[in-house]
Amino acid sequence: MEAMIERCAGLDVHQETVVACVLFGPLDKKPNTSIETFSTTTTGLLALSDWLTTLQVSDVVMESTGVYWKPIWNILEDSFHLVLANARHVKNVPGRKTDVKDAEWLAKLLRCGLIESNFVPPEDIRDLRDLTRYRKKLIHHRTSEQNRIHKILQDANIKLTSVLSDIFGVSGRRILEAILNGEK
């Protein structure tokens, strides 16, 4: 494999820790290796960023493992060229696996230009996605609760849907409030 990047890092990301392996040195020689483990707290990730900057790393790769990669991406995206690798595409040879070996394997693949990055939208689009997904979830919960109330009313033989098109409209809510207050 022919090296293409002089200074790169591979990150093996977990919930509480990140193992970072930096490969650096001339492209025509075996690279030097530096390995460190960092916490995934903001303080730990800022220390990771400082460490990578100190080693003059230009490119960083990590696997897209669940949601654990997101905080790391958010902290590193302004300072480095980041590559988010699909775990299936960078699978290592089965056998004795360690976090250090995984980080080193990712760094080697990146150094040789063998990793195709997944698409990660810009920060404002990621934020918009999160908001729209949350809104969709809230609407789903609201609909679920409305269906539950409708079922309770039907079980109690209160047939509001026979006389109202929307039992959660203004009139329907007034009738429901009156029922809750004991009116007949």
Side-chain angles (χ1 to χ4, degrees):
M1 295 190 297
E2 185 178 321
M4 299 173 69
I5 301 172
E6 248 182 61
R7 294 177 173 273
C8 64
L11 305 180
D12 190 39
V13 179
H14 298 280
Q15 182 176 359
E16 295 178 8
T17 61
V18 178
V19 177
C21 173
V22 174
L23 299 179
F24 56 97
L27 296 177
D28 57 343
K29 294 185 179 174
K30 186 177 184 216
N32 296 316
T33 304
S34 183
I35 298 171
E36 290 285 331
T37 301
F38 297 90
S39 164
T40 55
T41 62
T42 302
T43 306
L45 295 178
L46 290 171
L48 168 65
S49 179
D50 293 343
W51 182 70
L52 293 172
T53 302
T54 302
L55 292 173
Q56 300 174 344
V57 169
S58 59
D59 296 64
V60 178
V61 63
M62 66 186 100
E63 288 182 351
S64 57
T65 50
V67 295
Y68 301 141
W69 64 272
K70 290 181 180 183
I72 299 162
W73 186 279
N74 292 338
I75 294 218
L76 300 180
E77 75 178 320
D78 293 333
S79 305
F80 305 96
H81 175 258
L82 297 178
V83 175
L84 185 65
N86 186 323
R88 194 177 310 143
H89 296 152
V90 295
K91 187 189 288 186
N92 204 343
V93 180
R96 293 182 184 262
K97 288 182 56 168
T98 64
D99 300 340
V100 172
K101 284 183 181 177
D102 284 348
E104 193 171 3
W105 176 250
L106 287 169
K108 284 179 182 177
L109 291 176
L110 181 63
R111 183 171 165 92
C112 296
L114 296 176
I115 297 181
E116 185 178 324
S117 181
N118 286 347
F119 173 70
V120 178
E123 185 178 9
D124 56 339
I125 301 298
R126 293 194 311 263
D127 292 343
L128 183 61
R129 273 184 177 179
D130 288 343
L131 286 173
T132 55
R133 287 175 180 161
Y134 182 61
R135 180 180 182 274
K136 185 177 178 180
K137 185 181 273 189
L138 289 176
I139 290 170
H140 175 74
H141 286 307
R142 180 185 69 190
T143 303
S144 176
E145 291 303 315
Q146 287 176 340
N147 289 341
R148 186 183 326 238
I149 291 168
H150 183 256
K151 181 185 179 306
I152 290 169
L153 291 171
Q154 289 296 327
D155 288 347
N157 203 26
I158 300 171
K159 309 289 185 182
L160 288 182
T161 52
S162 300
V163 293
L164 295 172
S165 59
D166 181 11
I167 61 172
F168 299 102
V170 175
S171 300
R173 278 186 276 154
R174 285 185 180 159
I175 293 171
L176 288 173
E177 282 178 32
I179 292 172
L180 287 173
N181 292 331
E183 296 179 34
K184 293 186 179 182

